[in-house]
Amino acid sequence: MTPPPTPSPAPASGSSPGTLPAHYGVALAVVALGLACLALVPVWSGALWLCLVVSLLGLFLVIQTALLRLEFQDEALVVWRQSTLLRRFPYSAWKSWRLFWPGLPVVFYFREEQSPHLLPLLFDAKALRQQLDRHLSHLPAPDA
């Protein structure tokens, strides 16, 4: 029986070529959408609650963008929260992946043998696509 692989040390901000830089575009767009809902207040009394919920979701995404990092290692995608390893996704377990709305990517989807994952795009989309193409070339290319 082989011992489990030892996790590599947490990535320093931008130190590893496989670590994706943060991108606040999606998070700030959700905050802006929440604030834009204020324009509906004169015509709909529930707009204030909608504004509050959407803006809080956007602020949550801003915080997650600041804290989370994706690192593409040789054998797995690793998710870090600051210096804490949250999860490893071995490439051998991946079945498919896709970036939704490639012209303006906002959602990253990938499926493992056991479960699907859907993530807001809190990272640089170009760098993410390059790393996916590099490490998951064994999978069929996603359409669009």
Side-chain angles (χ1 to χ4, degrees):
M1 181 174 221
T2 60
T6 335
S8 62
S13 183
S15 66
S16 167
T19 302
L20 299 181
H23 186 269
Y24 288 87
V26 170
L28 293 177
V30 172
V31 171
L33 180 65
L35 295 176
C37 291
L38 286 174
L40 297 174
V41 170
V43 294
W44 181 46
S45 62
L48 196 54
W49 287 107
L50 178 65
C51 172
L52 180 65
V53 169
V54 173
S55 295
L56 286 174
L57 173 63
L59 289 174
F60 171 76
L61 291 175
V62 167
I63 292 167
Q64 293 293 37
T65 303
L67 296 178
L68 295 179
R69 290 292 166 264
L70 292 184
E71 181 182 9
F72 284 85
Q73 296 179 346
D74 290 337
E75 300 296 322
L77 170 64
V78 179
V79 181
W80 298 94
R81 180 182 299 131
Q82 294 179 322
S83 61
T84 304
L85 174 68
L86 292 181
R87 182 107 188 254
R88 295 178 58 81
F89 298 99
Y91 304 132
S92 59
W94 288 44
K95 296 297 180 193
S96 64
W97 64 269
R98 185 176 193 155
L99 290 175
F100 286 100
W101 302 296
L104 181 68
V106 295
V107 175
F108 170 46
Y109 164 83
F110 68 98
R111 178 159 182 80
E112 289 186 294
E113 292 170 349
Q114 300 299 319
S115 62
H117 305 279
L118 193 63
L119 307 169
L121 202 56
L122 306 177
F123 313 96
D124 181 274
K126 252 184 213 178
L128 175 61
R129 178 67 191 233
Q130 290 170 347
Q131 292 293 333
L132 289 167
D133 288 339
R134 178 175 169 224
H135 292 283
L136 297 161
S137 59
H138 65 281
L139 294 178
D143 38 319

